[in-house]
Amino acid sequence: MTSLPADSALNESTAASSAALAQTPRTRPVRLGDRGSHDVAQIHAIIDEAPICHVGFVDDAIKGHGTPSPMVIPTVPWRVGDELMIHGASSSRMIRRLQEGGEACITLSLIDGWVLARSAFHHSVNYRSVMLFGRPRLVSEEAEKRAALDALMEKIEPGRSAKVRAPNVQELKATSVLAFPIAEASAKRRSGPPADDPEDMAHPVWAGVVPLRLTAGEPEQDLAQTAG
Amino acid sequence: MTSLPADSALNESTAASSAALAQTPRTRPVRLGDRGSHDVAQIHAIIDEAPICHVGFVDDAIKGHGTPSPMVIPTVPWRVGDELMIHGASSSRMIRRLQEGGEACITLSLIDGWVLARSAFHHSVNYRSVMLFGRPRLVSEEAEKRAALDALMEKIEPGRSAKVRAPNVQELKATSVLAFPIAEASAKRRSGPPADDPEDMAHPVWAGVVPLRLTAGEPEQDLAQTAG
């Protein structure tokens, strides 16, 4: 992608591939630390590629449910400079809770393959993921909100924001855009072949990686256009 | 609801595709209720297809972090009868918190396509998702644990559980399997073309669906085998 704001964020994210976020108690790896990273360029790249993220938060106001409950909602993430954006109906549960100051854990996972090992134990998944913590800023100023929604269009299809019918005032009002700083975040990845134990290497079963990739099929044009 | 008794549940899930879970305050749709469902067969089918789920929980014991925090961890889900299973290193944060009685929200999302509308506002994603709430049961009895891990192998590649080197006692101990009742859960889906407003139908931009599908590529055999 993508459309980025004119200023410093662009320089920062393209220039310094060695820039790293500070580690925090929440982003410090508990185990398998070698799979983890705080590299900004790597985190940005995963956000830019991911068509979906899962937003976790605690909902303490579910009608008819007495206690706070974890909630995980899938939605489309995109990036503008150093912020991860999500959007939704202003009336939705996720938007309401987060707008009220709720804290989120947003996880993005790209699956790259099944790792088939000789031992059941060493089966795994090749993946790239990002985990981000924070509280959002509501993007309320109209020009910034329009630019953010344009950037979402550009992620879906470069050049599309100029071609679609832009949001009208009602639609803008019905949609909330939330911006999370890409500050307390880390990336994780596994790649490569299975890591079987030496004593299993001769075990007679196929071992290797079955690559997986989210692939676009033949576009299906709306019948209302093709019939016309 | 209500975890179903083990015996009747099995029959129910294989027999009656019209069986539905009871709606709860957490699984009642807040908006777009027409996209939601509590149909057991539909929920099972999404769990069976999903290579990954996102497990949300609240971690109130992060070393060096003062307050409870939402956490969202990606992992591979699979199903045994009327339970959704996950597994992980017994030492991992997720397993430890959930084993201690933590409540989870597990969300599985299958992306079926980008929905490109004429108006920015009506862009969408075609998807099938499941959201499940509950507390897990630790699968500790050895035979059941082995059978559960075999079922995971079978999900990755049918027939594989008989071919791999089975877990030894140490590996079994290092791995925890958690089983969640598929009881408080709902499915959601969007499919079909964009739903533009009538006044936008003549807007001159391509509209339709770009199908997306997680596709397996050519298997990459471990070089240690091909060289042999």
Side-chain angles (χ1 to χ4, degrees):
Chain A
M1 60 175 262
T2 200
S3 86
L4 292 166
D7 51 33
S8 63
L10 178 62
N11 301 332
E12 191 180 352
S13 63
T14 49
S17 67
S18 64
L21 300 177
Q23 191 172 274
T24 75
R26 293 192 290 195
T27 67
R28 183 181 306 139
V30 175
R31 8 181 333 277
L32 301 177
D34 53 317
R35 292 188 185 171
S37 159
H38 291 76
D39 180 73
V40 170
Q42 195 178 325
I43 291 168
H44 284 190
I46 292 170
I47 295 171
D48 292 350
E49 182 173 338
I52 199 168
C53 67
H54 283 80
V55 181
F57 57 98
V58 179
D59 193 342
D60 54 9
I62 304 168
K63 227 176 169 175
H65 186 78
T67 54
S69 172
M71 285 276 170
V72 178
I73 308 281
T75 191
V76 177
W78 75 101
R79 185 173 65 85
V80 176
D82 281 327
E83 293 181 308
L84 182 154
M85 306 263 175
I86 61 173
H87 78 313
S90 307
S91 61
S92 74
R93 170 181 280 167
M94 174 181 75
I95 295 290
R96 281 186 286 133
R97 291 301 161 264
L98 294 177
Q99 249 180 243
E100 289 159 7
E103 188 168 44
C105 172
I106 302 183
T107 300
L108 308 88
S109 308
L110 301 170
I111 308 187
D112 294 329
W114 290 117
V115 180
L116 305 189
R118 295 152 183 91
S119 61
F121 185 74
H122 282 294
H123 280 67
S124 189
V125 173
N126 280 343
Y127 66 93
R128 289 161 291 148
S129 69
V130 161
M131 208 168 162
L132 179 151
F133 297 91
R135 294 174 203 277
R137 168 177 80 80
L138 179 67
V139 177
S140 49
E141 196 273 314
E142 184 177 335
E144 190 196 6
K145 191 169 176 177
R146 286 189 179 278
L149 292 169
D150 279 354
L152 170 56
M153 288 295 101
E154 293 299 309
K155 176 170 181 167
I156 297 174
E157 185 187 75
R160 193 164 181 87
S161 65
K163 293 188 257 172
V164 296
R165 199 267 291 152
N168 60 36
V169 174
Q170 269 171 306
E171 291 169 342
L172 269 192
K173 200 176 155 184
T175 305
S176 290
V177 176
L178 303 180
F180 291 83
I182 303 173
E184 186 174 359
S186 61
K188 228 171 141 183
R189 75 178 298 168
R190 190 209 183 278
S191 60
D196 274 302
D197 298 326
E199 59 269 32
D200 290 326
M201 292 304 281
H203 188 83
V205 63
W206 191 94
V209 172
V210 179
L212 293 171
R213 202 186 158 78
L214 195 66
T215 312
E218 201 56 44
E220 299 161 357
Q221 191 166 14
D222 192 335
L223 293 179
Q225 290 188 332
T226 53
Chain B
M1 54 181 269
T2 107
S3 77
L4 302 166
D7 46 9
S8 68
L10 180 62
N11 302 331
E12 188 178 357
S13 65
T14 46
S17 68
S18 64
L21 300 176
Q23 191 172 273
T24 76
R26 292 193 290 196
T27 67
R28 184 182 304 137
V30 175
R31 7 178 337 274
L32 301 177
D34 53 319
R35 291 188 186 171
S37 159
H38 291 76
D39 181 72
V40 170
Q42 196 177 325
I43 291 168
H44 284 192
I46 292 168
I47 295 171
D48 293 347
E49 183 173 339
I52 200 169
C53 68
H54 284 78
V55 181
F57 58 98
V58 179
D59 194 342
D60 53 9
I62 305 169
K63 228 176 168 176
H65 187 79
T67 55
S69 172
M71 285 276 170
V72 178
I73 309 283
T75 191
V76 177
W78 75 101
R79 185 173 65 84
V80 176
D82 280 328
E83 292 180 307
L84 182 155
M85 306 263 174
I86 61 173
H87 79 313
S90 307
S91 61
S92 74
R93 172 181 276 164
M94 173 181 78
I95 295 290
R96 281 186 287 133
R97 291 299 161 268
L98 294 177
Q99 249 181 244
E100 289 159 6
E103 189 169 40
C105 172
I106 302 182
T107 300
L108 307 88
S109 308
L110 302 169
I111 308 187
D112 294 328
W114 290 116
V115 181
L116 306 188
R118 295 151 184 90
S119 60
F121 184 74
H122 282 295
H123 280 66
S124 188
V125 173
N126 281 343
Y127 66 93
R128 290 160 291 149
S129 69
V130 161
M131 207 169 163
L132 179 151
F133 297 92
R135 294 176 203 274
R137 169 176 80 81
L138 178 68
V139 176
S140 48
E141 196 273 313
E142 185 179 335
E144 191 196 5
K145 192 168 177 180
R146 287 191 178 276
L149 292 169
D150 279 353
L152 169 56
M153 288 296 102
E154 293 299 308
K155 175 170 181 167
I156 297 174
E157 185 188 74
R160 193 163 181 86
S161 64
K163 292 188 257 173
V164 296
R165 200 267 291 154
N168 60 35
V169 174
Q170 269 170 306
E171 290 169 343
L172 269 192
K173 200 177 157 183
T175 307
S176 292
V177 176
L178 302 179
F180 291 83
I182 303 172
E184 185 172 0
S186 61
K188 230 170 139 182
R189 76 179 296 170
R190 190 210 183 279
S191 60
D196 274 305
D197 298 327
E199 58 270 32
D200 290 326
M201 291 303 282
H203 188 82
V205 64
W206 191 94
V209 172
V210 179
L212 293 171
R213 199 184 162 79
L214 194 65
T215 311
E218 201 57 44
E220 299 162 358
Q221 191 166 13
D222 192 335
L223 293 180
Q225 289 189 334
T226 53

